[in-house]
Amino acid sequence: FEQCPKQFYHMKILKQYEEKETEAMLYGTHFHSAAEEYIKNCAPMPGRFDYAVGVLDSLQAKQGKKLCEYRLGLTSELEPCGFSDKDVWFRGIADLIILNDDLAWVVDYKTGKSARYADKGQLELMALATFKHFPEVNEVRAGLLFVVSKNLIRDTYYRDDEAKLWEKWLTNYSKMESAAANDVWNPRPNRMERQRARRELDSKGVTRKGKDISHNKPLRNGGTNADGYKLMSPSKNRANNGKEKTKTT
């Protein structure tokens, strides 16, 4: 919804389109299944995932009860419930939760090649759901584990901060409720085009560090990824944008 309300409406409300499963997505699905079996049942990792054995062993070595692919549901009153209950309002699946008294580790595996645009919002939501489902937990150490690039994007959340964090997320949710109530789903095509370009470059292993994506035909002038794009320094990209704005005014 945040990326493009109109796309959200067509995909999630009307369900007119299905997101196609790419090779990268399929790879991620297979990795998640293999990691679950490795942690839960000590099954050997397939050869193509050998690179992740070391980091999975470090998680396996942590003290505490391990829950793999754990499904978390909440009602609209923010009460814990089953993932498929009729009154479920929020759903989330944690790749791995490790419970050790009042401390929990929550880990989400990522198989993307770059952690540059990692979104820690997912960690916040998983931490909040963990607090609801496990009232004995007062601290959650959460991380997005990029197993290919060997990066760990981490943060720590405390039960004392629950109210503040929920206020932020519920404020964002109210925007979605307003869009539904008024049946107004404004498009944000430019943001989606940039995101698709980033994902395409990342899937090819292209290093984007310190670079901006510059479209051959500016997005504000109706350009798309199909018109072509390239990487350039932020200063040069800003200079080009300034020239383009001058021409159009």
Side-chain angles (χ1 to χ4, degrees):
F1 178 82
E2 287 294 319
Q3 290 183 348
C4 182
K6 189 170 180 62
Q7 184 185 53
F8 176 88
Y9 174 68
H10 286 285
M11 294 186 69
K12 303 298 184 181
I13 306 298
L14 297 183
K15 300 185 184 298
Q16 291 177 326
Y17 310 101
E18 291 186 10
E19 187 174 4
K20 294 181 180 179
E21 189 172 40
T22 64
E23 272 191 45
M25 293 167 66
L26 192 60
Y27 182 90
T29 299
H30 290 165
F31 177 87
H32 279 71
S33 297
E36 178 183 7
E37 286 299 310
Y38 188 83
I39 296 290
K40 185 191 291 185
N41 300 318
C42 296
M45 287 291 282
R48 62 175 173 157
F49 300 136
D50 276 349
Y51 62 84
V53 168
V55 70
L56 292 177
D57 283 345
S58 68
L59 294 173
Q60 186 74 281
K62 287 187 178 296
Q63 295 294 315
K65 181 179 180 180
K66 296 171 180 70
L67 306 172
C68 297
E69 298 299 319
Y70 194 81
R71 298 187 168 205
L72 301 155
L74 297 176
T75 68
S76 59
E77 300 300 319
L78 303 183
E79 294 295 328
C81 68
F83 192 82
S84 300
D85 285 0
K86 289 184 178 180
D87 59 346
V88 67
W89 173 77
F90 167 88
R91 292 187 179 99
I93 301 177
D95 292 339
L96 177 64
I97 298 177
I98 304 174
L99 299 171
N100 187 4
D101 295 326
D102 67 342
L103 172 65
W105 286 270
V106 177
V107 180
D108 191 85
Y109 309 126
K110 298 294 183 185
T111 53
K113 295 180 180 178
S114 171
R116 184 179 182 189
Y117 291 97
D119 181 6
K120 291 200 292 186
Q122 181 181 354
L123 297 182
E124 284 188 13
L125 288 170
M126 288 295 98
L128 288 168
T130 298
F131 286 135
K132 295 297 184 183
H133 275 259
F134 303 100
E136 72 276 13
V137 171
N138 292 314
E139 178 182 346
V140 172
R141 298 176 186 174
L144 299 173
L145 180 57
F146 286 79
V147 293
V148 175
S149 60
K150 302 187 186 311
N151 289 317
L152 177 63
I153 309 302
R154 68 179 77 190
D155 213 333
T156 302
Y157 304 95
Y158 300 94
R159 184 174 291 277
D160 289 345
D161 296 326
E162 252 192 302
K164 180 176 64 177
L165 290 173
W166 273 121
E167 181 181 6
K168 181 188 76 172
W169 285 103
L170 292 174
T171 298
N172 290 340
Y173 177 72
S174 68
K175 298 175 184 176
M176 192 187 305
E177 282 190 314
S178 176
N182 297 296
D183 197 24
V184 175
W185 308 87
N186 294 318
R188 294 177 190 164
N190 291 0
R191 185 177 296 184
M192 291 303 301
E193 281 296 285
R194 289 193 187 94
Q195 182 64 16
R196 280 191 285 266
R198 293 187 191 108
R199 288 176 178 172
E200 183 177 1
L201 291 171
D202 288 346
S203 70
K204 295 177 179 178
V206 176
T207 301
R208 297 186 287 108
K209 187 174 182 180
K211 301 287 186 179
D212 282 355
I213 293 175
S214 176
H215 285 79
N216 294 341
K217 181 179 180 181
L219 297 178
R220 63 178 173 273
N221 293 342
T224 68
N225 292 340
D227 298 312
Y229 56 85
K230 53 188 173 292
L231 292 173
M232 63 172 56
S233 69
S235 59
K236 186 175 181 180
N237 192 32
R238 285 193 296 270
N240 286 350
N241 285 337
K243 292 177 184 176
E244 185 65 33
K245 287 179 180 178
T246 301
K247 289 178 183 177
T248 56
T249 54

